[in-house]
Structure formats: structure tokens, C-alpha cells
């Protein structure tokens, strides 16, 4: 959801993605994604719930002496982890920007009630906590990071890694500063040019 200031509002609307709307699978996509390559593989996922791991926890510095995984391994080694098959992320929190799931009204109801039970920062926080609550959340299939690659990771990895990643990425997720706000914020991050080019092409199509 877009907030009045142009950023992303902290909402819980994606919890409704778990409801049954008459389809075998529901696919949820965040509003700050850019599709860079063929997304049809999402249609072939048969898991009850699938998403990528939230790799930002791998990049957080826990103390003044700790190094992020990207800095410890170096960009090429970390890229190899990013573009693996997703199995090494087992047990991690998920990034809910891209979710493929089997709809279940009972699960959706429990999730919505859980969201009312205490304060959560946002819907992703709620989904992650619920998945650990022994309240019947389905087994998570961790997708390869290229299905939902957060732009923020390249603040550490650098532009060369970003350019190598683009041809392999299905959705680029504009976590952090939003490209439609960067002129106001006087910032520029990786992928802003891709977003603006896509916006121009879409604008031409709709004219």
C-alpha cells in the first residue's frame, strides 16, 4: 500500500492473500517489485507455501566488531549463495514480497486473529511470528533468491554484483528507498534506472 508521503504504508492487507478466492494457488506480489524476467515458474510451484528467505538478517551487523556475510565471504562467494537453489536458507524468516500458497480460509482466519493478538511492525513480521507459533502454518518451501531479490543487498555487494544479478533475477524488490521517491530524497540506489525505464514503457502502453 502506498502511503500519502509516497512511501510504503505498514499495512496487513497481504494477510488476505491466504483466503480462498476460488483458485488452486494464490500468488502475492508486493507493490515495490519490478519483474525483470519470466515469472511463469511461479505457476509450477506445488508447495502449500513458498517464499524466499529474508536474507537481510544475514547482512545485519550485530555488533561493532561483527562483519556481514557479504563482507566476510566477498561478493563472488556471496553471489553463489544468493543464486543457489534456496535449500541453505532452511529455518529462516521469509520475505513476504513474493508468496505462492495454497489458499485456506481457516488458516487465513487464524492468521488474522493472530494479527489482532498483539502489536506487529507489519504483516511480514506477523506472518513470520505466526509460522513459529504451532498454529498450523504450512511447511515453508524456500525459493531461490532470484525469485525475490532485495535491492538493499547490493549496498554491500556493489554495482558490479548488481549488474551480474539482473539477468538472473525474476523480481527485483525495492526495499529501502523507493525509486519513485529518490528525486525528493536526493538519493540514488541500484536499479533506479531500471524502474524508471519500466515506468516509461508502461506509460506508453497505457496511453
Amino acid at each position: 500500500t502506498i502511503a500519502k508521503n509516497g512511501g510504503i504504508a505498514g499495512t496487513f492487507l497481504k494477510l488476505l492473500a491466504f483466503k480462498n478466492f476460488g483458485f488452486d494457488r494464490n500468488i502475492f506480489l508486493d507493490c515495490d517489485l519490478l519483474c525483470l524476467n519470466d515469472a511463469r515458474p511461479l505457476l509450477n510451484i506445488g508447495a502449500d507455501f513458498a517464499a524466499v528467505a529474508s536474507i537481510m538478517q544475514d547482512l545485519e551487523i550485530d555488533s561493532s566488531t561483527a562483519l556481514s556475510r557479504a563482507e566476510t565471504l566477498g561478493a563472488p562467494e556471496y553471489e553463489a549463495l544468493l543464486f543457489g537453489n534456496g535449500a541453505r536458507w532452511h529455518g529462516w524468516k521469509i520475505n513476504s514480497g513474493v508468496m505462492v500458497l495454497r489458499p485456506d480460509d481457516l488458516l487465513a482466519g487464524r492468521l488474522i486473529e493472530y494479527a489482532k493478538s498483539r502489536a506487529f511492525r507489519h504483516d511480514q513480521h506477523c506472518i513470520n511470528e505466526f509460522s513459529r507459533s504451532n498454529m498450523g502454518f504450512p511447511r515453508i518451501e524456500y525459493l531461490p533468491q532470484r525469485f525475490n531479490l532485495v535491492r538493499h543487498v547490493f549496498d554491500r555487494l556493489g554495482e558490479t554484483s548488481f549488474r551480474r544479478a539482473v539477468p538472473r533475477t525474476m523480481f527485483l524488490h525495492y526495499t529501502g528507498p523507493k525509486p519513485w521517491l529518490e528525486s525528493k530524497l536526493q538519493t540514488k540506489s541500484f536499479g533506479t534506472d531500471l524502474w524508471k525505464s519500466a515506468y516509461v514503457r508502461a506509460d506508453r502502453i497505457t496511453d
Side-chain angles (χ1 to χ4, degrees), residues 5-179:
N5 65 358
I8 301 295
T11 71
F12 290 79
L13 292 176
K14 72 176 63 169
L15 302 186
L16 298 178
F18 291 81
K19 291 181 66 66
N20 191 335
F21 297 101
F23 301 98
D24 293 334
R25 291 287 187 278
N26 291 348
I27 297 176
F28 175 87
L29 303 174
D30 256 348
C31 63
D32 56 349
L33 297 171
L34 180 62
C35 185
L36 298 180
N37 288 290
D38 187 2
R40 285 175 294 182
L42 292 177
L43 301 175
N44 299 323
I45 295 172
D48 289 338
F49 182 87
V52 306
S54 178
I55 61 171
M56 290 312 297
Q57 72 185 72
D58 205 24
L59 297 176
E60 291 171 357
I61 296 177
D62 297 323
S63 72
S64 59
T65 59
L67 292 175
S68 73
R69 184 71 61 89
E71 291 166 328
T72 303
L73 293 179
E77 293 85 356
Y78 197 78
E79 285 179 47
L81 292 178
L82 285 182
F83 290 99
N85 63 12
R88 57 94 49 191
W89 307 104
H90 179 73
W92 285 50
K93 296 177 181 178
I94 60 103
N95 182 299
S96 60
V98 175
M99 299 186 294
V100 182
L101 57 97
R102 188 187 302 277
D104 183 336
D105 284 335
L106 292 177
L107 176 63
R110 291 198 299 271
L111 182 54
I112 290 169
E113 288 304 310
Y114 185 75
K116 299 176 183 178
S117 67
R118 62 184 180 87
F120 296 98
R121 296 190 301 275
H122 40 61
D123 39 23
Q124 178 173 297
H125 180 209
C126 177
I127 292 169
N128 274 307
E129 292 299 311
F130 182 81
S131 71
R132 291 161 165 72
S133 67
N134 296 317
M135 296 178 66
F137 196 83
R139 179 181 176 276
I140 299 172
E141 178 178 318
Y142 290 92
L143 299 175
Q145 289 293 318
R146 68 180 186 85
F147 280 54
N148 175 16
L149 190 59
V150 294
R151 176 183 63 170
H152 215 59
V153 70
F154 296 101
D155 291 343
R156 297 282 178 86
L157 294 178
E159 185 171 1
T160 300
S161 291
F162 177 75
R163 296 302 171 190
R164 282 199 294 259
V166 166
R168 294 181 283 177
T169 298
M170 181 185 295
F171 288 102
L172 182 62
H173 195 168
Y174 285 81
T175 53
K178 306 306 174 187

Side-chain angles (χ1 to χ4, degrees), residues 179-206:
W180 59 85
L181 274 181
E182 289 188 346
S183 60
K184 298 179 182 179
L185 300 175
Q186 296 183 335
T187 61
K188 181 174 174 53
S189 300
F190 300 118
T192 299
D193 54 340
L194 295 174
W195 179 279
K196 290 182 177 178
S197 295
Y199 182 87
V200 170
R201 291 196 303 271
D203 195 44
R204 287 172 181 168
I205 292 171
T206 56

